[in-house]
Amino acid sequence: MRTRTVLTAMSIAMAGMLATQFSHAGTLENVKKRGELRCGVSDGLAGFSAPDAKGRWQGIDTEMCRAVATAVLGNPEKVTFVPLPNSERFTALQSGEVDLLSRNTTWSASRDNSMGLSFPGGVLFYDGQGFMVHKDAGVTSPKELDGATVCTQSGSTSEMNMADFFASHSLHYQAVTFESPAQLLAAFEGGRCDSISIDSSQLAALRSQLKDPDSGVILPEMISKEPLAPMVRRGDEAWGKVVSWTLYAMLNAEEMGITSKNVDALTAAPKSPDMARLLGKDGDFGKQLGLSNDWAHNIVKNVGNYGEIFDRTVGEHSPLKLARGKNALWNAGGFQYAPPVR
Amino acid sequence: MLRPSTTIPPREHGPLWRDPRVRAFVLQAVMLLVAVVLVILLTNNTLSNLAAQGVTTGFNYLSQRSGFGISQTLVEYSANSTYADAFTVGLLNTLLVAGLSIVTCTLLGLLVGMARLSSNWLLSRCATVYIEIFRNIPMLLQLLFWSALMMSVLPEFKKSYSLWGVAFLNKKGLVLPWVEFSSSTWPLWLALALGLVAMLVMRNINQYRVRRGKDGWPVRWLTLALIVLPPLVTFFCSSIHASLSLPKLTAFSSRGGIHLIPELVVLWLTLTLYAAAFVAEAVRSGLASVPNGQREAATSLCLPGGLTMRKIVLPQAMRVIIPQLASQYLNVIKNSSLGIAIGYPDLFAVYGITTLNQTGQALEIMATTMAVYLALSLLVSLLMNLINARMALKER
């Protein structure tokens, strides 16, 4: 673990020293040339990215990777998943070890502006930080956690939000931090922590992994905004556009009612001018991104629209069973809103 | 036949570049210059490239608000402290666990090493089993094992073991009564340090006197007095008040007293048990290196076994033991960074992971973290070399 952090730090140094054209290399061309997308994901978080029983990576973050691979290479399987712990994700992207970071990472000002990285646009999952407590503790609000031991992931925004929350309510707490979700889970079950405080979607994932899921209670109160979004290197606009428009294509597809099942029929006979443009029957919106014109068709055909992905990874048809909530489309009471294709 | 000296031609010095000493010097100087220029160029290039990529560089982040909590802080620290403070907290936590472990692994290793060579069959076999088990299992596994064991053995917070209502043991650690001072205690520490210096001076003067044939001072009593009296006198003469702080359990934790987190105890225990196995081997090889004749000579002088060990065998064995001991101490310091696996907030966890992630200053932080471990290791090597030099065989 440590050696790898040192190595990635060194490779940034190397990249900084040697490659003068580092940031202008053109990730899109590189990925096309390589014939494969290298995608940084979380190292095992149910619903977001975790290998299933057959060893295939599953989750909303990994589906985002597959969608980008489909948009660029026309094939959702041309992805190498690089599992990254919290502490290594940014260095891995900075150093070029991955082309894209799709790893439940919160969009924040400092991350967008000071690390040579950027969030190209579009939020994959609107989240907020919550608390899980032991059922027998009888706690109903995080404000009742005065003096509690609260465990969280090291190097996360959760660590900071938690400190702010307890300070602003003049409460005492003891923070114990762990690197991996598995360690967090063990510490909670073992009784070291009174509470775990991380993004509520992750809490749901951890709760589903408890030996007795009913022994953990997720408190309804949220203490932060956590827009989880894909991340790329700064200064490569073309690549950023590909990533954000891949997400927009999936959102627009859901809005227009295009699914992986009906996409072929709708491409043959689009029901509206909007649909014709998105599916590549009118205009050259795919070409403008440096992709083939049927990019959106391919994404929906191979990976699905946003709603389908949400459903099978974190929503109704997944073990997490999260409600769409804030992640519903804008015309269904949620925040998800993609710019129009025109 | 000797020729008259006048016929010897004056020694040719030749051109400067043919003098091997001059040549060597110039060559080294040029190499050094090239190395320095290369480092400067690379650094400049790196910085300008990083700037072009929009990566903030420099150490300005150190004065920014850290904004996160740490479970064990030896100095005043809160989320409002700076990243520099977080660095200090992490460094002190590393020093604490490494220091404690170095002391205990030395004592345990000495005992086990001597037990291994004992003539008592059972004792020596027990020592062998201990060494083989703890030396051959990776430390990370041992750490996770003890951590899991500790967590399953300790009671829940609500069912804490209580010792007469003043000390509590549970999954969140051990809470003990503690002395609380009304103000900063640095004068006491200063007095202690001055006392220690005075003690060293006193011992040297005494040695000098004894060598000159004068009567020795009562060194033991003087040593005790010089260590104990200065802090005591300072305490009673200053305005520092001490009071006993008794812990009280609240809904989730305790107030007052001192709180020992379980992660510290587990890491301390593991480092001790792991390193002691290696120390024991060093002790064994040291003892084995002392020729049997030395023991036999002592026996023939009717010296008791304990005295033979303390005055004759150990001092000679130390020359073999100390260099190996030094490398074990370095391992203890480096291995303490494994504490991250169980959530111990050491330098690597607090600074190398959390601070790095919050600020994104990977280069600066990895460089300083490595520099700190390097400096600690060099310092320990230096100290051990000094001790080794004192212990080395002196031929008079």
Side-chain angles (χ1 to χ4, degrees), chain A residues 2 16-17 87 190 192 194, chain B residues 45 49 171-172 263 348 357:
Chain A
R2 221 182 122 195
M17 278 184 246
S87 51
R192 173 69 177 109
D194 297 307
Chain B
N45 201 11
N49 279 331
K171 284 190 186 200
K172 293 180 187 174
E263 289 81 27
F348 185 60
N357 253 268

Side-chain angles (χ1 to χ4, degrees), chain B residues 114-133:
Chain B
M114 293 197 301
R116 175 125 200 226
L117 289 180
S118 163
S119 52
N120 182 326
W121 186 85
L122 188 64
L123 195 60
S124 97
R125 280 314 115 103
C126 283
T128 310
V129 168
Y130 168 84
I131 291 171
E132 294 309 335
I133 287 180

Side-chain angles (χ1 to χ4, degrees), chain B residues 155-160 170-172 249-254:
Chain B
E156 301 273 334
F157 180 74
K158 283 186 181 146
K159 297 172 193 150
S160 297
N170 53 52
K171 284 190 186 200
K172 293 180 187 174
L249 292 191
T250 59
F252 288 110
S253 61
S254 53

Side-chain angles (χ1 to χ4, degrees), chain B residues 4-267:
Chain B
S5 59
T6 44
T7 58
I8 296 177
R11 196 177 167 79
E12 276 287 337
H13 275 278
L16 217 52
W17 50 268
R18 293 187 71 169
D19 186 330
R21 272 178 312 166
V22 174
R23 258 199 325 214
F25 179 79
V26 171
L27 217 67
Q28 302 254 14
V30 169
M31 285 299 282
L32 187 69
L33 198 71
V34 169
V36 169
V37 168
L38 207 65
V39 167
I40 292 175
L41 276 180
L42 283 178
T43 313
N44 269 338
N45 201 11
T46 307
L47 289 179
S48 60
N49 279 331
L50 287 175
Q53 284 172 48
V55 179
T56 317
T57 49
F59 287 90
N60 291 333
Y61 65 92
L62 280 175
S63 56
Q64 288 165 11
R65 177 180 181 271
S66 66
F68 59 88
I70 303 178
S71 61
Q72 172 184 289
T73 58
L74 297 181
V75 289
E76 205 66 34
Y77 174 87
S78 75
N80 285 326
S81 306
T82 61
Y83 284 119
D85 295 328
F87 170 82
T88 313
V89 167
L91 178 61
L92 287 176
N93 286 346
T94 290
L95 290 177
L96 175 72
V97 76
L100 288 173
S101 307
I102 281 176
V103 171
T104 48
C105 81
T106 311
L107 295 175
L108 182 63
L110 199 64
L111 287 178
V112 176
M114 293 197 301
R116 175 125 200 226
L117 289 180
S118 163
S119 52
N120 182 326
W121 186 85
L122 188 64
L123 195 60
S124 97
R125 280 314 115 103
C126 283
T128 310
V129 168
Y130 168 84
I131 291 171
E132 294 309 335
I133 287 180
F134 285 92
R135 198 174 57 151
N136 293 318
I137 299 175
M139 189 178 130
L140 184 61
L141 287 183
Q142 296 188 32
L143 192 59
L144 295 174
F145 170 77
W146 289 116
S147 175
L149 188 72
M150 188 83 98
M151 276 301 129
S152 59
V153 165
L154 290 177
E156 301 273 334
F157 180 74
K158 283 186 181 146
K159 297 172 193 150
S160 297
Y161 292 138
S162 160
L163 207 68
W164 303 296
V166 296
F168 304 95
L169 182 67
N170 53 52
K171 284 190 186 200
K172 293 180 187 174
L174 177 66
V175 201
L176 295 167
W178 194 246
V179 184
E180 218 162 57
F181 292 95
S182 59
S183 54
S184 173
T185 53
W186 67 265
L188 303 182
W189 294 104
L190 185 69
L192 181 68
L194 288 176
L196 284 174
V197 172
M199 179 204 79
L200 287 178
V201 171
M202 179 274 293
R203 288 197 149 198
N204 272 324
I205 295 178
N206 183 56
Q207 267 183 9
Y208 180 75
R209 283 169 53 93
V210 171
R211 245 181 270 140
R212 285 298 197 79
K214 294 181 184 165
D215 286 342
W217 288 329
V219 176
R220 279 188 195 178
W221 290 110
L222 281 175
T223 304
L224 194 67
L226 283 173
I227 294 176
V228 173
L229 284 181
L232 269 185
V233 171
T234 319
F235 177 72
F236 285 112
C237 294
S238 69
S239 59
I240 303 172
H241 296 291
S243 57
L244 193 65
S245 156
L246 291 176
K248 279 207 175 59
L249 292 191
T250 59
F252 288 110
S253 61
S254 53
R255 288 284 157 77
I258 190 170
H259 181 200
L260 214 60
I261 59 171
E263 289 81 27
L264 170 68
V265 179
V266 171
L267 186 59

Side-chain angles (χ1 to χ4, degrees), chain A residues 256 270-279 282 285 341-342:
Chain A
M256 295 176 199
K271 287 193 171 155
S272 68
D274 264 354
M275 205 179 273
R277 285 191 292 269
L278 179 67
L279 295 175
D282 178 26
F285 294 97
V341 183
R342 70 178 312 130

Side-chain angles (χ1 to χ4, degrees), chain A:
Chain A
M1 224 182 285
R2 221 182 122 195
T3 339
R4 193 155 148 201
T5 318
V6 174
L7 282 180
T8 34
M10 289 198 167
S11 50
I12 308 183
M14 284 301 200
M17 278 184 246
L18 306 173
T20 43
Q21 294 294 309
F22 183 82
S23 55
H24 308 289
T27 314
L28 181 57
E29 279 72 55
N30 283 346
V31 173
K32 279 182 182 167
K33 214 179 291 165
R34 201 191 304 127
E36 185 183 63
L37 174 75
R38 283 192 303 228
C39 202
V41 293
S42 143
D43 52 351
L45 181 65
F48 284 79
S49 81
D52 63 12
K54 290 175 199 141
R56 183 180 160 85
W57 286 88
Q58 301 288 7
I60 194 166
D61 281 340
T62 45
E63 292 309 285
M64 179 70 206
C65 299
R66 292 201 173 99
V68 173
T70 314
V72 180
L73 304 164
N75 186 342
E77 301 308 317
K78 299 216 161 158
V79 188
T80 305
F81 292 105
V82 182
L84 297 166
N86 245 2
S87 51
E88 283 166 23
R89 52 186 164 173
F90 301 130
T91 31
L93 184 59
Q94 285 167 329
S95 65
E97 191 185 337
V98 294
D99 306 307
L100 168 68
L101 190 68
S102 176
R103 193 201 170 283
N104 59 303
T105 298
T106 301
W107 188 345
S108 75
S110 63
R111 289 173 177 176
D112 207 0
N113 302 320
S114 72
M115 299 198 293
L117 304 177
S118 84
F119 293 88
V123 172
L124 183 62
F125 190 94
Y126 287 99
D127 211 341
Q129 185 173 344
F131 289 82
M132 177 162 73
V133 293
H134 296 282
K135 193 178 184 185
D136 54 17
V139 172
T140 54
S141 157
K143 293 187 195 93
E144 293 163 26
L145 289 173
D146 192 20
T149 301
V150 186
C151 296
T152 191
Q153 248 189 313
S154 52
S156 59
T157 44
S158 313
E159 224 178 334
M160 322 278 266
N161 295 329
M162 206 163 88
D164 288 353
F165 172 81
F166 285 109
S168 61
H169 288 89
S170 314
L171 300 173
H172 290 276
Y173 80 111
Q174 202 193 22
V176 181
T177 59
F178 294 95
E179 264 216 300
S180 80
Q183 291 170 337
L184 262 183
L185 196 66
F188 181 75
E189 280 205 304
R192 173 69 177 109
C193 327
D194 297 307
S195 174
I196 293 182
S197 184
I198 46 177
D199 293 353
S200 50
S201 60
Q202 295 187 44
L203 282 180
L206 284 189
R207 183 171 176 269
S208 71
Q209 290 165 14
L210 285 173
K211 282 184 201 102
D212 171 18
D214 287 332
S215 65
V217 176
I218 298 175
L219 303 178
E221 218 163 318
M222 302 254 178
I223 63 164
S224 72
K225 297 182 286 185
E226 308 287 335
L228 308 182
M231 206 176 187
V232 296
R233 273 183 296 280
R234 182 172 270 258
D236 191 346
E237 226 180 330
W239 179 241
K241 297 262 183 237
V242 167
V243 172
S244 43
W245 277 95
T246 299
L247 178 55
Y248 296 150
M250 295 194 287
L251 286 167
N252 278 322
E254 186 187 5
E255 194 179 326
M256 295 176 199
I258 310 171
T259 66
S260 53
K261 298 202 176 66
N262 65 16
V263 65
D264 284 335
L266 289 174
T267 308
K271 287 193 171 155
S272 68
D274 264 354
M275 205 179 273
R277 285 191 292 269
L278 179 67
L279 295 175
K281 301 305 275 184
D282 178 26
D284 57 351
F285 294 97
K287 295 234 168 68
Q288 290 170 11
L289 287 166
L291 305 171
S292 67
N293 225 22
D294 57 354
W295 60 291
H297 167 269
N298 290 341
I299 293 172
V300 179
K301 173 81 186 152
N302 291 296
V303 186
N305 69 33
Y306 182 81
E308 290 179 274
I309 294 174
F310 191 98
D311 233 39
R312 67 168 183 261
T313 54
V314 291
E316 287 304 308
H317 294 99
S318 76
L320 297 194
K321 298 206 182 337
L322 295 179
R324 270 303 276 275
K326 296 183 284 259
N327 288 294
L329 291 181
W330 62 283
N331 51 14
F335 295 161
Q336 287 294 8
Y337 185 102
V341 183
R342 70 178 312 130

